[in-house]
Amino acid sequence: RGGTQVAVAEDERMAATLTRMYRNGVLEASGFPLAEVSEHRARPDTFVWVDFLNPTRADLEELAVELDLHELAVDDALSPHQRPKLDRYDTHLFLSCHWIDVDPASAQLHETEVDTFVNDRWMVTVRKNDGFDLDAVIERWDRSSNLAHHGVSFLLYGMLDVIVDGYFRSE
């Protein structure tokens, strides 16, 4: 499905990375290395998605320079406990939202922060833990692939739809 590439950061912590590239509204590549993001972005009519699970600063810096991610947004994506918000920067938006899961047996609340950098040609998600499983998001994208011609907004809509639907699910 999403394809996982694993990169070793400077502190030897593993950061799982998922990648996808759409061209002319069709999923054309997945599971490619971060080094290929530039190549895919250079092609017309393409948009790219990258997901980081538990990244280090070094993990994010690789894309931050290429995508001109604002340093405050990068800091926010690496810092714990961001409040839900949407910040606007010259080259992108930065969205922070939360996946909420309740364990019915113990009534314990589990929260996963999902931070997202959004541009018209790319979307980068950052998760600090694996509490929000992206399988449902990828399934939503694949199930609604006819909407991919809308570009990155298709990815953002699919992700937010899964998150918000999760607030109202019943076990």
Side-chain angles (χ1 to χ4, degrees):
R1 265 189 252 186
T4 301
Q5 171 214 344
V6 179
V8 179
E10 288 178 12
D11 68 357
E12 298 301 319
R13 181 175 68 185
M14 301 294 278
T17 306
L18 301 173
T19 56
R20 280 186 155 206
M21 186 273 291
Y22 293 80
R23 184 167 189 197
N24 295 316
V26 176
L27 176 62
E28 203 170 272
S30 64
F32 53 86
L34 289 178
E36 293 180 17
V37 168
S38 296
E39 176 184 325
H40 291 309
R41 284 187 47 231
R43 297 168 64 188
D45 302 319
T46 64
F47 60 96
V48 177
W49 170 64
V50 175
D51 175 73
F52 287 103
L53 174 59
N54 200 25
T56 64
R57 180 165 297 279
D59 293 328
L60 272 183
E61 286 297 325
E62 185 174 347
L63 282 182
V65 172
E66 177 180 342
L67 302 178
D68 195 22
L69 301 180
H70 195 280
E71 64 185 76
L72 293 177
V74 171
D75 287 343
D76 284 351
L78 292 169
S79 300
H81 312 299
Q82 289 299 309
R83 64 180 167 76
K85 65 179 180 176
L86 178 65
D87 291 331
R88 186 176 189 279
Y89 296 98
D90 290 340
T91 61
H92 63 280
L93 300 173
F94 177 77
L95 172 72
S96 183
C97 59
H98 299 262
W99 167 257
I100 306 297
D101 190 33
V102 178
D103 179 0
S106 67
Q108 291 229 343
L109 182 71
H110 303 281
E111 176 187 1
T112 300
E113 185 177 321
V114 181
D115 296 319
T116 309
F117 300 88
V118 183
N119 176 281
D120 62 345
R121 299 281 313 276
W122 47 263
M123 186 168 99
V124 177
T125 51
V126 177
R127 298 172 296 132
K128 295 174 181 79
N129 63 56
D130 62 358
F132 178 52
D133 185 1
L134 286 175
D135 285 346
V137 174
I138 292 169
E139 287 172 13
R140 178 72 50 97
W141 290 340
D142 292 347
R143 192 173 60 239
S144 306
S145 61
N146 61 318
L147 298 177
H149 70 276
H150 291 291
V152 171
S153 59
F154 151 76
L155 298 176
L156 184 60
Y157 164 78
M159 182 188 76
L160 290 174
D161 195 41
V162 169
I163 289 172
V164 172
D165 282 355
Y167 296 159
F168 302 103
R169 74 180 174 277
S170 58
E171 304 290 331

